[in-house]
Amino acid sequence: MRVKSFSGGVHPREFKYLTSKKPIEKIPTPKIVIIPLSQHTGAPAKPIVKPKDKVKIGTKIGEPQGHISAGVHSTISGTVRSIEPWTHPAGPTVLSVIIESDGADEWKRLIKPDYESRSSTMGVDESLTPFQIIDIVKRAGIVGLGGAAFPTHVKLSPPKNKSIDTIILNGSECEPYLTADHRLMLEKPYEILEGGKLIARALCAGGTSTSGGNAKKKYIAIEENKPDVIKKFKKLAPEFRFELCIMRTKYPQGSEKQLIKVITNKEVPSGGLPFDVGVCVQNVGTSFAIYEACKLGKPLIERVVTVTGNVKEPKNLLVRIGTLFKDLIEFCSGYDGEPGKIIMGGPMMGIAQSSDEVPVVKATSGILVQKVNKLSLPEDIPCIRCGSCVKACPMGLLPSKIKDYVKASKFEEAKVIGILDCIECGSCAWACPSKINLIHYFKYGKLMLQKTS
Ligand code: SF4
Ligand code: SF4
């Protein structure tokens, strides 16, 4: 089988060996959860509970506001203690619902019996229509679990004039250190592919018809550094009519635009979205969540998180949304030495935290602990015009030139040469011998363009 790849990209050290052989462990129900009402791209959800209200696992506590938004559910059973602003791992303080556990772990399932599967077998009720699948996904508050946290029901409802003929399940997991998707693919392959079938069925008619059908092409993309997963999917994927695409181990292999280009040879236009070229990419974790919602009536109340780096026992954990980072680190036997930096996600695109008292959100794929400033960039030294950043850029941009324009406040010029196409993957900064914090310039430049538009 041919191994596929894109041009550009970099090869940071992986460090996946720390957790790739560790099965997913379920962390005990936390005594308290802090659930932010904004964990997704789009408008924050509006609280629909008040202090002293009793809730169960799966009780909706936040109502989506508008089309691009997502519902939020309680992840434990207990009592609402308060609704107050709390630091969000993505940065700003966000209104959050704080719930104390009653220890009962009582459930409120999402779907009514007529949506439930008719059997106890692995498969999902074949009679679910596209409309019903999208409705369940929406009510489950599912968002993209690969990092972007875009509401999945929106992704499954492309505009009427866009027809999707290709589905790609993204199991690349190219960020160093992270193995949450790796373990999920190894331990839940049937469920992921069943979820893939549901995605295909939902998209075939944009959710407006009850006719069923399927996308013409269905792929699952896995990086070649996961031979155990590849072995499993080589056998299973054809049974579900998915084609296995083995991707070269290279960062950022899991980026949507790169995957689409490599697998379909289609290029998402500048400023466009995958549906413009008839493709829908879904992370394997999202596919699993869709399966659980449609089969078990489970809203998105938990996810797999890799806790790694300088903790005593790195692990892959199944964690309730809203559990504090410090509880996960404690479950991994604590910090291994003085923590210097705590990152949500991986070292390339992750977000540095100011404290470990922030909650796991739907987009938390990993928690990486680094010793004192191991990952911080040293002081910039001048650009030596070596071109390494240009070679590394998977989007074919000129990172050093964009940086020069931003530095000179020439934002329109930066726009002309493609700053808005930058996917902020960090490959250029990683490759730069002068250790220039290029991403900082790109984020700043984009912000300034947004302000002036
Ligand atoms: S310019 Fe943007 S897309 Fe290109 S390597 Fe740098 S961060 Fe990635
Ligand atoms: S890699 Fe760094 S030093 Fe080399 S051209 Fe790009 S910005 Fe300049």
Side-chain angles (χ1 to χ4, degrees), residues 140-196:
I142 296 173
V143 302
L145 298 186
F150 193 81
T152 303
H153 68 275
V154 181
K155 225 171 164 182
L156 294 181
S157 315
K160 294 279 173 284
N161 59 340
K162 308 280 177 189
S163 102
I164 305 290
D165 64 7
T166 305
I167 314 279
I168 301 174
L169 293 184
N170 187 357
S172 303
E173 200 172 46
C174 59
E175 265 275 3
Y177 285 93
L178 304 185
T179 58
D181 287 348
H182 181 158
R183 288 310 309 183
L184 194 67
M185 286 188 284
L186 209 51
E187 296 176 36
K188 303 285 180 189
Y190 288 95
E191 292 85 341
I192 288 169
L193 289 167
E194 279 289 348

Side-chain angles (χ1 to χ4, degrees), residues 24 142-147 152 168-173 180-185 188 191-193 195-196 199 220-221 233 281-293 300 302-304 318 362 365:
I24 298 166
I142 296 173
V143 302
L145 298 186
T152 303
I168 301 174
L169 293 184
N170 187 357
S172 303
E173 200 172 46
D181 287 348
H182 181 158
R183 288 310 309 183
L184 194 67
M185 286 188 284
K188 303 285 180 189
E191 292 85 341
I192 288 169
L193 289 167
I199 292 166
I220 178 156
F233 277 85
V281 182
Q282 296 282 358
N283 168 266
V284 288
T286 314
S287 183
F288 179 67
I290 291 171
Y291 167 84
E292 289 215 306
L300 185 55
E302 59 190 3
R303 65 156 300 150
V304 182
L318 182 63
K362 294 175 184 177
S365 51

Side-chain angles (χ1 to χ4, degrees), residues 382-390 400 403 428 431-434 436 438:
C383 173
I384 55 169
R385 305 284 164 207
C386 65
S388 301
C389 55
V390 179
S400 59
K403 178 259 303 169
C428 52
C432 175
S434 294
I436 298 170
L438 294 159

